[in-house]
Amino acid sequence: EDKVVQSPLSLVVHEGDTVTLNCSYEVTNFRSLLWYKQEKKAPTFLFMLTSSGIEKKSGRLSSILDKKELFSILNITATQTGDSAVYLCAVEAKGDDKIIFGKGTRLHILP
Amino acid sequence: KAGVTQTPRYLIKTRGQQVTLSCSPISGHRSVSWYQQTPGQGLQFLFEYFSETQRNKGNFPGRFSGRQFSNSRSEMNVSTLELGDSALYLCASSFSQGTGFADTQYFGPGTRLTVL
């Protein structure tokens, strides 16, 4: 059965800390891995990763995919209170054309 | 506990037709959200229902509508289909205590709609 597992499920850190969020997957016919940030209801897109070992970066956020070990990490440096959100990882599968979401990591940044 | 189920999984329609998609949330979940997933636009929020009332709405035209039943099952309707409506439509359910912070959402497998 295809699955996406995120860890930790929740995380509380202080402003300025660096955090690493994990996403591991078991999905047949992998196409891409997606990271989203969800603050209220509508997730906002962060990264799409398709190739192993290539880091995607956007400001203080970065992400990398390891297709051999079947996982991805999302790093956030110098965290700010506005980074508080649920971070969702999802994997797209070819063939039966589906997307499998993890349960998310709930990140809370303390001022 | 059974997960979120969506029916049908695949649907092919022609322009101008209308379509109804169904979502059954996890037992005990009262919030159901609908999303449109396309390669170019990513995941876009359509609307959210809670206790049979639309609580949140995204920026989609009025052709997109939904409803929720007393058992929390939800339907989404798209009228006068356009080619651009071809997408994967995802439904997600959550317990949702309305704290203002995103509750853990559980996504269904999606309905792939193709408009010809």
Side-chain angles (χ1 to χ4, degrees):
Chain A
E1 185 190 339
D2 293 334
K3 61 180 179 181
V4 174
V5 178
Q6 291 186 246
S7 64
L9 288 181
S10 66
L11 189 55
V12 181
V13 300
H14 288 277
E15 223 173 0
D17 288 350
T18 292
V19 296
T20 298
L21 310 183
N22 303 292
C23 176
S24 64
Y25 62 91
E26 291 176 28
V27 175
T28 49
N29 295 318
F30 172 93
R31 171 158 49 200
S32 64
L33 186 143
L34 308 157
W35 282 99
Y36 291 91
K37 177 183 180 183
Q38 185 171 27
E39 290 173 270
K40 288 292 172 71
K41 279 299 175 184
T44 52
F45 173 79
L46 294 175
F47 300 110
M48 173 187 277
L49 302 155
T50 55
S51 302
S52 218
I54 298 175
E55 186 184 47
K56 292 270 182 107
K57 202 167 166 59
S58 176
R60 296 176 294 103
L61 276 67
S62 64
S63 184
I64 197 160
L65 173 68
D66 186 328
K67 288 169 79 172
K68 185 180 173 188
E69 300 297 331
L70 308 181
F71 78 89
S72 173
I73 59 171
L74 174 69
N75 273 324
I76 309 175
T77 58
T79 51
Q80 302 169 356
T81 53
D83 296 329
S84 295
V86 174
Y87 290 84
L88 291 167
C89 171
V91 174
E92 286 186 304
K94 293 183 279 195
D96 57 354
D97 197 20
K98 61 183 178 182
I99 181 166
I100 306 103
F101 280 82
K103 291 182 180 176
T105 292
R106 182 181 296 257
L107 176 64
H108 191 58
I109 311 295
L110 299 171
Chain B
K1 218 184 226 188
V4 177
T5 57
Q6 290 186 247
T7 56
R9 289 278 288 117
Y10 299 92
L11 207 48
I12 298 175
K13 292 284 188 178
T14 55
R15 273 183 302 176
Q17 287 187 306
Q18 69 100 27
V19 67
T20 299
L21 313 182
S22 181
C23 171
S24 292
I26 290 172
S27 177
H29 285 189
R30 295 166 65 189
S31 167
V32 174
S33 297
W34 287 90
Y35 299 89
Q36 183 194 67
Q37 165 90 13
T38 56
Q41 303 286 332
L43 199 64
Q44 293 191 89
F45 174 69
L46 281 153
F47 28 66
E48 184 225 356
Y49 285 87
F50 181 81
S51 290
E52 301 178 65
T53 302
Q54 189 178 86
R55 190 162 68 171
N56 289 292
K57 191 176 187 304
N59 295 322
F60 275 79
R63 300 185 296 108
F64 292 80
S65 63
R67 59 178 176 166
Q68 187 179 34
F69 302 94
S70 58
N71 61 359
S72 294
R73 189 177 72 84
S74 177
E75 286 183 347
M76 190 191 92
N77 186 274
V78 188
S79 61
T80 320
L81 284 166
E82 300 176 0
L83 294 178
D85 296 333
S86 294
L88 184 67
Y89 290 88
L90 291 160
C91 159
S93 78
S94 67
F95 182 72
S96 186
Q97 294 181 308
T99 60
F101 197 88
D103 294 289
T104 299
Q105 290 198 319
Y106 296 81
F107 285 83
T111 293
R112 167 64 64 183
L113 172 65
T114 301
V115 181
L116 302 175

